[in-house]
């Protein structure tokens, strides 16, 4: 299939590459000309602006927007809606608030355009590992674009099959689902990221306790000089707490047990906040997820080893780099 892609950053560029690697064609645009040129050298068709991108796509067109949530994405979709024709589809694969998806779906439908929201997980590793996708939109539109989603998904790989899944949607085993109408995809991804916060915080606090066990204030015989890298590694082997996040933690600790390249300044992408807002709206208790979000707020004032663990994990899966002004406040 042919797909237009707008935004060639950490994930957008690799989405184009994975598609081309598997026989699809891509027309790409980014405000940075060098990003477009790099993809053109690998086989993409480059576009000089949005109008040029739309003109190079064959109807019914499909354009994937992979930009930061907010005004940039909204402005891009608004401009595309004036350039595209009835029957075309706009896909938002970024971290958009699901409420914006519901509104956009209605606005674009009035113009004869389809809208798909794709909660996309996979970070900087997606080119090789594939992307886990949670998709919202009309069934017929999602079905038409299935070759795109099937290619981007990781596939069943070596993950053991879950017993009793014979009557369920086989796409879930491949790493993608049609979650429901517009907004459903990003709602599921929002909760995914809220859970991610809690998992990361649990690892971070656990390693912080281990590290403090060598504290000089402890009584003789109660001090343990643990090797953090070895503990992370052994937990990867048969433990019930093994995960990709633990893999990333083990890698960071093996390189530098003190994590000296990290300050512990931990950003949040917005989805953690939206998860807590959803919990409040529905009166669902979410103590762990709320505490994990608040810890990120606190990390911007006073950093701990636990926050360095969080920073290391965020860099590992998403390429997130701490801001330069991350020195603790006095």
């Amino acid at each position: 299939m042919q797909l237009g892609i707008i935004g060639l950053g950490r994930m957008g560029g690799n989405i184009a590459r994975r598609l081309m690697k598997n026989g699809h064609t891509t027309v790409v645009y980014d405000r940075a000309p060098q990003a477009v040129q790099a993809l053109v050298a690998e086989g993409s068709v480059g576009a000089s602006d949005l109008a040029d991108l739309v003109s190079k796509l064959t109807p019914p067109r499909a354009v994937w927007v992979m930009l930061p949530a907010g005004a940039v994405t909204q402005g891009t979709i608004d401009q595309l809606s004036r350039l595209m024709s009835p029957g075309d589809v706009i896909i938002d694969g970024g971290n958009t608030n699901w409420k914006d998806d519901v509104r956009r779906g209605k606005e674009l439908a009035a113009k004869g355009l389809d809208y798909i929201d794709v909660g996309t997980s996979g970070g900087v590793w997606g080119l090789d590992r594939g992307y886990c996708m949670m998709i919202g939109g009309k069934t017929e539109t999602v079905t038409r674009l299935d070759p795109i989603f099937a290619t981007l998904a990781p596939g069943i790989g070596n993950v053991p099959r879950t017993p009793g899944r014979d009557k369920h949607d086989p796409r879930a085993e491949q790493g993608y689902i049609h979650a429901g109408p517009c907004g459903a995809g990003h709602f599921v991804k929002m909760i995914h990221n809220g859970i991610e916060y809690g998992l990361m915080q649990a690892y971070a606090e656990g390693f912080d306790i281990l590290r403090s066990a060598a504290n000089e204030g402890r009584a003789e015989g109660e001090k343990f000089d643990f090797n953090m890298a070895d503990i992370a590694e052994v937990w990867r082997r048969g433990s019930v707490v093994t995960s990709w996040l633990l893999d990333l933690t083990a890698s960071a600790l093996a390189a530098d047990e003190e994590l000296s390249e990290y300050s512990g300044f931990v950003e949040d992408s917005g989805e953690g906040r939206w998860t807590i807002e959803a919990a409040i709206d529905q009166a669902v208790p979410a103590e762990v997820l709320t505490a994990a979000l608040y810890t990120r707020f606190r990390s911007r004032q006073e950093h701990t080893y636990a926050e360095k663990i969080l920073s290391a994990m965020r860099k590992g899966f998403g390429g997130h780099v701490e801001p330069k002004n991350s020195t603790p406040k006095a």
Side-chain angles (χ1 to χ4, degrees):
M1 289 188 73
Q2 184 190 53
L3 182 70
I5 302 175
I6 299 170
L8 307 176
R10 287 191 299 258
M11 293 179 69
N14 281 343
I15 284 174
R17 291 182 177 95
R18 187 171 175 89
L19 289 172
M20 290 190 295
K21 182 180 177 182
N22 290 277
H24 299 277
T25 59
T26 59
V27 181
V28 299
Y29 171 70
D30 192 282
R31 289 186 298 177
Q34 62 271 26
V36 176
Q37 292 164 6
L39 266 297
V40 169
E42 298 178 42
S44 287
V45 175
S48 57
D49 54 29
L50 297 187
D52 187 36
L53 179 138
V54 171
S55 73
K56 291 177 176 175
L57 293 170
T58 302
R61 306 172 184 87
V63 177
W64 185 302
V65 179
M66 201 66 179
L67 296 169
V72 175
T73 292
Q74 185 62 56
T76 300
I77 290 175
D78 288 343
Q79 189 174 347
L80 284 172
S81 71
R82 295 189 291 269
L83 295 168
M84 297 175 77
S85 304
D88 293 346
V89 57
I90 297 173
I91 305 163
D92 181 3
N95 289 330
T96 291
N97 190 304
W98 66 274
K99 294 180 181 179
D100 290 333
D101 294 316
V102 173
R103 171 182 55 78
R104 285 180 193 156
K106 294 177 181 177
E107 293 173 351
L108 294 174
K111 299 181 178 183
L113 300 172
D114 288 323
Y115 178 77
I116 299 291
D117 56 285
V118 181
T120 311
S121 182
V124 297
W125 299 87
L127 175 59
D128 297 321
R129 293 171 59 109
Y131 299 91
C132 173
M133 291 169 291
M134 298 134 270
I135 305 164
K138 292 195 311 186
T139 298
E140 54 268 36
T141 307
V142 174
T143 300
R144 176 166 72 86
L145 295 173
D146 189 76
I148 294 292
F149 302 132
T151 297
L152 292 175
I156 196 166
N158 58 4
V159 178
R161 301 191 69 180
T162 301
R165 276 206 53 86
D166 294 344
K167 297 180 180 179
H168 293 272
D169 189 339
R171 292 175 294 185
E173 286 188 320
Q174 301 300 318
Y176 68 109
I177 60 167
H178 180 203
C182 291
H186 277 144
F187 192 98
V188 175
K189 177 58 162 50
M190 173 185 73
I191 303 304
H192 164 283
N193 279 29
I195 293 171
E196 174 189 299
Y197 281 31
L199 290 171
M200 292 173 68
Q201 188 62 32
Y203 283 125
E205 291 179 7
F207 280 103
D208 206 11
I209 295 169
L210 288 166
R211 185 172 180 271
S212 71
N215 191 301
E216 293 182 2
R218 296 173 64 87
E220 193 62 36
E222 296 181 0
K223 299 176 187 177
F224 302 103
D225 187 14
F226 291 123
N227 185 304
M228 310 297 279
D230 286 353
I231 292 172
E233 186 63 29
V234 76
W235 284 351
R236 295 182 61 225
R237 313 290 173 173
S239 162
V240 297
V241 299
T242 188
S243 73
W244 185 26
L245 291 172
L246 182 59
D247 293 345
L248 297 170
T249 302
S251 179
L253 289 171
D256 175 14
E257 197 168 324
E258 293 302 314
L259 302 176
S260 54
E261 86 173 86
Y262 302 99
S263 72
F265 186 107
V266 187
E267 289 280 15
D268 66 285
S269 63
E271 289 168 294
R273 303 185 191 205
W274 302 336
T275 298
I276 304 311
E277 291 173 3
I280 293 170
D281 289 344
Q282 299 167 56
V284 175
E287 297 96 331
V288 171
L289 308 190
T290 303
L293 175 64
Y294 285 172
T295 296
R296 295 194 175 199
F297 296 162
R298 186 196 53 72
S299 78
R300 296 160 205 172
Q301 298 178 344
E302 178 186 0
H303 311 328
T304 67
Y305 188 76
E307 273 85 64
K308 290 186 178 185
I309 293 282
L310 293 176
S311 288
M313 281 189 274
R314 293 186 81 242
K315 183 178 180 182
F317 67 73
H320 303 289
V321 179
E322 294 176 342
K324 293 181 180 179
N325 61 342
S326 56
T327 303
K329 296 180 181 179

